[in-house]
Amino acid sequence: HHLVVDGVSWRVLLPDLAQAYEGVELEPVGTSFRRWAEQLTALDRSAELPLWQAQLTGAEPQLGARALDPATDTAETVRHLSLTLPSEVTAGLLTEVAAKYRATVNDVLLTGFALAVSAWRGGSSTEVLVDMEGHGREAVVDGADVSRTVGWFTSMFPVRLDAGTGTDLGRSL
């Protein structure tokens, strides 16, 4: 459960627990979480700052017809909608479309989301700002090996999506 450990760490922990139970000596951890965090903190990432500032520049239109009201918009008033789509509906989207545009599944889904938000807003705004989550184990620190390291490496970062007019999408499929 995420309350205890992240999903990637489970893939490290479970085999280790099984090996420990069987009395097998565990392989050493390449880079400890503490060492990785120290090295990450020491990196000069100032060149990236303009990119992240640009993501946050500009107005973010409200999603609904009114601004959020802290007195009304509470956990008790949240509604949920869950849909399950059959694979016949999603297969093309997640395979053919991604391959056609040399994109990832995330790229395709985020494009669809940006187009849907733009359409929902009536075309008044084609941009939407979202928080993205990364697994955090990207090769950021030179020489670090966190493949066997348990720890919450998850990162959050802003991404401004712009659906534009969307008029050319799908014409070549």
Side-chain angles (χ1 to χ4, degrees):
H1 189 278
H2 270 133
L3 184 61
V4 178
V5 69
D6 65 294
V8 177
S9 291
W10 272 122
R11 292 190 293 239
V12 175
L13 273 176
L14 292 178
D16 281 1
L17 290 172
Q19 287 181 332
Y21 177 77
E22 294 172 1
V24 176
E25 186 174 334
L26 299 177
E27 296 178 35
V29 171
T31 304
S32 71
F33 185 82
R34 178 180 182 169
R35 184 69 186 132
W36 173 85
E38 290 169 348
Q39 291 174 329
L40 183 66
T41 303
L43 288 177
D44 178 12
R45 307 291 295 245
S46 60
E48 293 180 8
L49 185 58
L51 167 71
W52 299 117
Q53 289 172 326
Q55 296 298 307
L56 297 172
T57 300
E60 177 60 21
Q62 61 190 36
L63 281 175
R66 62 172 177 76
L68 290 176
D69 179 357
T72 305
D73 301 319
T74 63
E76 290 80 28
T77 63
V78 169
R79 293 180 296 166
H80 297 273
L81 173 64
S82 296
L83 301 172
T84 301
L85 300 173
S87 60
E88 308 82 65
V89 173
T90 60
L93 177 70
L94 301 178
T95 57
E96 296 168 31
V97 174
K100 175 74 176 176
Y101 290 99
R102 285 176 249 137
T104 67
V105 171
N106 279 349
D107 296 332
V108 174
L109 294 174
L110 286 168
T111 300
F113 176 73
L115 289 168
V117 169
S118 177
W120 185 60
R121 289 176 171 161
S124 62
S125 174
T126 61
E127 290 188 352
V128 61
L129 182 65
V130 298
D131 285 333
M132 296 293 296
E133 181 178 299
H135 62 74
R137 293 172 185 260
E138 294 86 3
V140 177
V141 176
D142 289 336
D145 175 12
V146 295
S147 61
R148 295 205 61 257
T149 304
V150 172
W152 199 287
F153 291 83
T154 304
S155 58
M156 295 288 292
F157 51 95
V159 174
R160 185 170 296 276
L161 305 171
D162 188 348
T165 61
T167 55
D168 294 330
L169 289 175
R171 290 181 191 236
S172 60
L173 286 177

